[in-house]
Amino acid sequence: MAQFSLAELETIIHQRAHSGDPESWTAKLFAKGIDKAAQKLGEEAVEAVIAAIRGDRQALVSESADLLYHWLVVLGIAGIPLDDVLKELEGRTGRSGVAEKASRPRG
């Protein structure tokens, strides 16, 4: 089986977002806007945390898939390509997480 990637999912989300398909959850989320999509992202994050704490492997896998999907929807609505996030992560790999966090502006 070929490896499925987040880039492929991003492409599918973009296609469905602009499909006009009334049966598409993605199109509905895009139509409802960033507030609804971000709310769903938060809900999925909480559900993933609960699954992790409970040690429920299958639920964690499922909720993680939901989390990644809704995260990409939020990025899509915000007009932020996945590549921008990956470049940010790549730039952080050359230093420790502690140093990277300390370098962020406080606010």
Side-chain angles (χ1 to χ4, degrees):
M1 178 172 107
Q3 185 97 16
F4 185 71
S5 72
L6 289 178
E8 289 173 283
L9 181 56
E10 179 184 45
T11 298
I12 292 167
I13 288 169
H14 179 76
Q15 291 167 346
R16 291 183 182 168
H18 305 289
S19 69
D21 181 356
E23 298 298 312
S24 169
W25 176 243
T26 303
K28 287 180 182 182
L29 277 175
F30 268 74
K32 290 181 180 182
I34 194 80
D35 290 353
K36 181 63 175 178
Q39 175 190 347
K40 290 300 296 176
L41 176 62
E43 289 170 7
E44 298 304 342
V46 169
E47 290 170 5
V49 168
I50 291 168
I53 290 169
R54 290 184 176 160
D56 186 338
R57 185 184 190 286
Q58 185 52 49
L60 182 55
V61 168
S62 179
E63 297 303 339
S64 294
D66 291 345
L67 179 61
L68 289 172
Y69 162 79
H70 285 91
W71 172 64
L72 286 173
V73 167
V74 167
L75 288 179
I77 293 171
I80 299 171
L82 176 60
D83 277 349
D84 288 2
V85 177
L86 296 177
K87 286 175 188 169
E88 176 68 20
L89 284 170
E90 183 179 33
R92 294 179 182 187
T93 61
R95 55 188 161 160
S96 78
V98 173
E100 187 282 323
K101 189 170 183 177
S103 72
R104 294 183 199 169
R106 297 185 187 263

